Amino acid sequence: KQEVTQIPAALSVPEGENLVLNCSFTDSAIYNLQWFRQDPGKGLTSLLLIQSSQREQTSGRLNASLDKSSGRSTLYIAASQPGDSATYLCAVMNRDDKIIFGKGTRLHILP
Amino acid sequence: DVKVTQSSRYLVKRTGEKVFLECVQDMDHENMFWYRQDPGLGLRLIYFSYDVKMKEKGDIPEGYSVSREKKERFSLILESASTNQTSMYLCASKSRGRNEQYFGPGTRLTVT
């Protein structure tokens, strides 16, 4: 059974720093992996989708990588800003089309 | 831009009431999903639908039912609300295949 883990559960970093969020999954037979952002009390906003054949995707200051064989993905945020404070979730789509979510990393950028 | 809307941001209902949560998407997506999100438990799939009038149980369907009469609309029904159904409910949609999933703003339901 696929399990998705995000460590740490919470992270605080000073503004301006580059940072990396981690996501690991137990079954490497996935179709894709998607990173989301969630602000308190709101829905999820899609950030990046990486297909299983891809190694990385970039959008602005965000870069997501995927290493299927080791069951890992990272979300790199460059030059962090207070507005980046949110919870970040990753989700994998299995070969049976089921989507499994991690529990998220709560990020706080210190001004 | 994909838009997924939910009928209410906040709802307060009494135990035993029948509750309808509505979700509408405007991108002609085949697949629609209902999740609930609780602290420490993450997102859990309640039901999903891959076509009109089609539905599949997710991981926690007990106490819920769904309806999909039109492609753009997916309704979640709590037949007799209970306090343990107090939660954040999130609707999502995606097109068929290995594509992005898009979420609505969520409905915070409180059952008293």
Side-chain angles (χ1 to χ4, degrees):
Chain A
K1 182 186 170 186
Q2 179 74 274
E3 291 183 8
V4 180
T5 303
Q6 293 184 250
I7 295 174
L11 181 65
S12 293
V13 300
E15 179 179 1
E17 284 197 7
N18 304 324
L19 61 100
V20 173
L21 305 180
N22 296 296
C23 173
S24 61
F25 46 96
T26 53
D27 184 351
S28 62
I30 63 169
Y31 276 147
N32 60 43
L33 184 145
Q34 192 169 359
W35 281 94
F36 295 90
R37 169 191 172 128
Q38 186 177 30
D39 293 294
K42 303 281 180 67
L44 279 66
T45 300
S46 178
L47 297 174
L48 290 162
L49 174 75
I50 311 177
Q51 301 292 355
S52 61
S53 57
Q54 298 174 322
R55 295 298 296 248
E56 64 179 340
Q57 283 285 340
T58 297
S59 175
R61 294 183 294 108
L62 305 179
N63 176 276
S65 68
L66 175 64
D67 183 343
K68 241 183 36 163
S69 59
S70 66
R72 293 185 182 181
S73 176
T74 60
L75 179 67
Y76 174 84
I77 302 177
S80 58
Q81 303 170 358
D84 295 330
S85 297
T87 296
Y88 292 81
L89 295 97
C90 70
V92 300
M93 177 184 278
N94 289 339
R95 293 287 171 92
D96 60 2
D97 285 348
K98 288 195 173 174
I99 299 172
I100 311 297
F101 285 82
K103 292 184 180 177
T105 293
R106 197 167 57 255
L107 176 65
H108 182 49
I109 305 299
L110 304 166
Chain B
D1 257 6
V2 177
K3 195 158 187 184
V4 182
T5 57
Q6 295 183 229
S7 50
S8 304
R9 290 300 314 278
Y10 301 96
L11 269 182
V12 180
K13 296 292 182 180
R14 293 194 181 276
T15 302
E17 279 193 78
K18 191 168 186 176
V19 182
F20 293 87
L21 303 182
E22 304 282 338
C23 176
V24 177
Q25 49 92 7
D26 66 357
M27 285 301 291
D28 203 36
H29 284 170
E30 292 84 7
N31 298 351
M32 296 187 75
F33 307 81
W34 274 107
Y35 296 90
R36 64 178 282 177
Q37 186 178 32
D38 301 286
L41 297 177
L43 272 83
R44 292 180 290 168
L45 181 64
I46 304 171
Y47 267 97
F48 67 99
S49 169
Y50 51 87
D51 206 344
V52 176
K53 298 192 185 295
M54 307 301 284
K55 59 184 178 184
E56 292 283 341
K57 292 180 180 179
D59 300 318
I60 51 162
E62 298 79 19
Y64 303 94
S65 62
V66 290
S67 171
R68 190 150 181 221
E69 296 297 317
K70 293 185 177 182
K71 192 174 186 180
E72 68 270 19
R73 187 180 298 269
F74 191 35
S75 303
L76 180 70
I77 303 154
L78 287 65
E79 296 288 342
S80 177
S82 63
T83 54
N84 64 12
Q85 292 179 309
T86 291
S87 187
M88 171 70 122
Y89 289 87
L90 293 163
C91 174
S93 74
K94 66 183 280 295
S95 57
R96 194 168 287 141
R98 309 172 193 179
N99 299 308
E100 284 182 82
Q101 193 176 37
Y102 295 91
F103 279 80
T107 296
R108 171 73 65 185
L109 172 67
T110 302
V111 183
T112 61

